[in-house]
């Protein structure tokens, strides 16, 4: 992953200006930040804090409270492993452990090459295919730990 500093886009700045005096603005602004960058970059959180005149701690309180917001840039391929009841009972936790082992990263982290992120999610609505992993919208069902290497290789070859 690169160490480049994110710059606030003119569109985002205009959006914040439009919302800065409205009640409940912080959630709306943070959604727009995440939509713009794919996560909440530290530099943008600091600038947002200044523009909205809210403490940075409040922004991080909201970002860490809601699971939707991300503090790290996600990989090109986001692997979501279902841990809903049906998937968990049929080995979802084993799938997560195998993805972690093979990729060398944990849940909610991204591989150093920026290709993969792993997320644990609650119910993807595919209970009949349990256990399930979804990669950027592609559903992989009735999985076993032995299937993980093939899934990783499929997306690695796509680049």
């Amino acid at each position: 992953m690169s160490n480049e500093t994110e710059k606030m886009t003119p569109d985002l700045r205009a959006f914040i200006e439009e919302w800065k005096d409205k009640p409940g603005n912080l959630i709306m602004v943070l959604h727009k930040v995440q939509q713009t960058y794919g996560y909440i970059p530290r530099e943008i959180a600091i600038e947002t804090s200044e523009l909205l005149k809210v403490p940075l701690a409040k922004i991080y309180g909201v970002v860490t409270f809601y699971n939707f917001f991300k503090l790290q840039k996600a990989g090109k391929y986001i692997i979501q492993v279902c841990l809903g009841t049906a998937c968990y009972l049929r080995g979802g936790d084993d799938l997560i452990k195998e993805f972690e082992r093979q990729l060398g990263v944990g849940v909610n982290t991204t591989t150093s090459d920026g290709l993969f992120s792993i997320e644990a999610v609650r119910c993807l609505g595919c209970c009949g295919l349990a256990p399930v992993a979804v990669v950027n919208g592609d559903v992989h069902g009735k999985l076993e730990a032995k299937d993980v290497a093939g899934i990783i290789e499929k997306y690695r070859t796509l680049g």
Side-chain angles (χ1 to χ4, degrees), residues 40-159:
I40 311 288
R42 178 169 172 69
E43 308 81 27
I44 303 303
I46 292 168
E47 199 167 344
T48 300
S49 167
E50 293 164 358
L51 290 170
L52 292 177
K53 296 180 179 27
V54 298
L56 187 58
K58 183 174 182 177
I59 289 175
Y60 278 100
V62 170
V63 168
T64 57
F65 180 80
Y66 293 103
N67 199 30
F68 171 81
F69 295 117
K70 308 290 181 217
L71 289 170
Q72 293 183 347
K73 190 170 192 167
K76 181 175 181 180
Y77 300 107
I78 301 171
I79 301 166
Q80 297 176 309
V81 179
C82 183
L83 291 182
T85 304
C87 287
Y88 183 81
L89 291 174
R90 292 188 179 132
D93 194 46
D94 294 334
L95 290 178
I96 283 208
K97 288 175 183 164
E98 189 62 15
F99 275 111
E100 289 176 325
R101 187 185 72 71
Q102 290 198 26
L103 292 172
V105 296
V107 171
N108 297 325
T109 58
T110 301
T111 57
S112 61
D113 61 7
L115 270 183
F116 297 100
S117 294
I118 304 172
E119 296 179 355
V121 297
R122 302 283 178 227
C123 196
L124 292 164
C126 305
C127 302
L129 298 175
V132 171
V134 174
V135 182
N136 288 18
D138 295 334
V139 177
H140 301 269
K142 298 188 185 269
L143 295 175
E144 297 178 26
K146 67 179 176 65
D147 301 319
V148 167
I151 292 170
I152 292 169
E153 188 56 31
K154 172 185 175 179
Y155 294 97
R156 193 176 300 281
T157 58
L158 294 174

Side-chain angles (χ1 to χ4, degrees), residues 12-32:
L12 180 57
R13 184 177 295 279
F15 184 86
I16 292 172
E17 287 298 325
E18 177 186 333
W19 276 86
K20 77 177 187 181
D21 295 323
K22 296 180 181 176
N25 61 4
L26 185 54
I27 296 283
M28 292 301 296
V29 167
L30 291 174
H31 276 289
K32 184 69 170 178

